[in-house]
Structure formats: structure tokens, C-alpha cells
Amino acid sequence: MFYFLIKETRYYKINLQKTLFDSYEVERIYGNQNYKKPTGKKINIFENKIEAIKFIERLVRIKTKQKKYCIV
């Protein structure tokens, strides 16, 4: 599962992937499009996929509700 949110020059990528230890990792990378490297990176680890998906849905809802980002 992959989301890409964008606002003017800012971006926010959300990626869900399975780890080697049967847990799920939600990786958030954000920054400015004018820079070569991302401004920040955060990783959250969940025991099951349902928790991870709920976390991602909540993030996307918050980001789009505040009208900071739109889904691309």
C-alpha cells in the first residue's frame, strides 16, 4: 500500500511493507520538492496488518481534512 500526498512544494509519502519478522512497517517520508533529500523520515512498526492500515487511514484523513495535502 502506498500513498503520495502533495501540497504546493511539500510532499508526504506513506508506505506499508511487511518486515522479516512478520510485523508490518509504516514508513513516512516527507519534505520539500525543491531539495534533493527528504526533510524527515519516520517508521512505525505494528504487529498486524489491520492496525497498520488503520494507522495509515487515520494519517491520510488528518492530512486531507486539514487541507494541507491532496492525494496524488
Side-chain angles (χ1 to χ4, degrees):
M1 177 182 283
F2 180 78
Y3 281 96
F4 189 75
L5 306 170
I6 192 165
K7 175 195 170 191
E8 298 171 7
T9 60
R10 304 281 306 158
Y11 67 89
Y12 200 87
K13 295 180 192 177
I14 304 170
N15 188 26
L16 172 65
Q17 55 193 13
K18 190 172 184 177
T19 65
L20 294 173
F21 307 107
D22 289 332
S23 58
Y24 289 87
E25 175 182 280
V26 175
E27 180 182 41
R28 298 179 280 161
I29 301 172
Y30 53 91
N32 191 320
Q33 292 178 352
N34 297 327
Y35 301 139
K36 291 182 180 181
K37 293 185 178 181
T39 306
K41 179 179 177 180
K42 294 182 181 179
I43 297 175
N44 296 86
I45 298 184
F46 298 92
E47 292 298 320
N48 58 45
K49 191 174 183 178
I50 295 170
E51 289 178 16
I53 290 173
K54 286 181 182 179
F55 179 76
I56 290 172
E57 288 173 348
R58 186 172 59 87
L59 277 175
V60 171
R61 188 173 54 248
I62 289 169
K63 295 292 182 186
T64 55
K65 188 176 183 180
Q66 294 173 347
K67 296 184 181 178
K68 288 186 176 181
Y69 295 91
C70 61
I71 299 173
V72 177

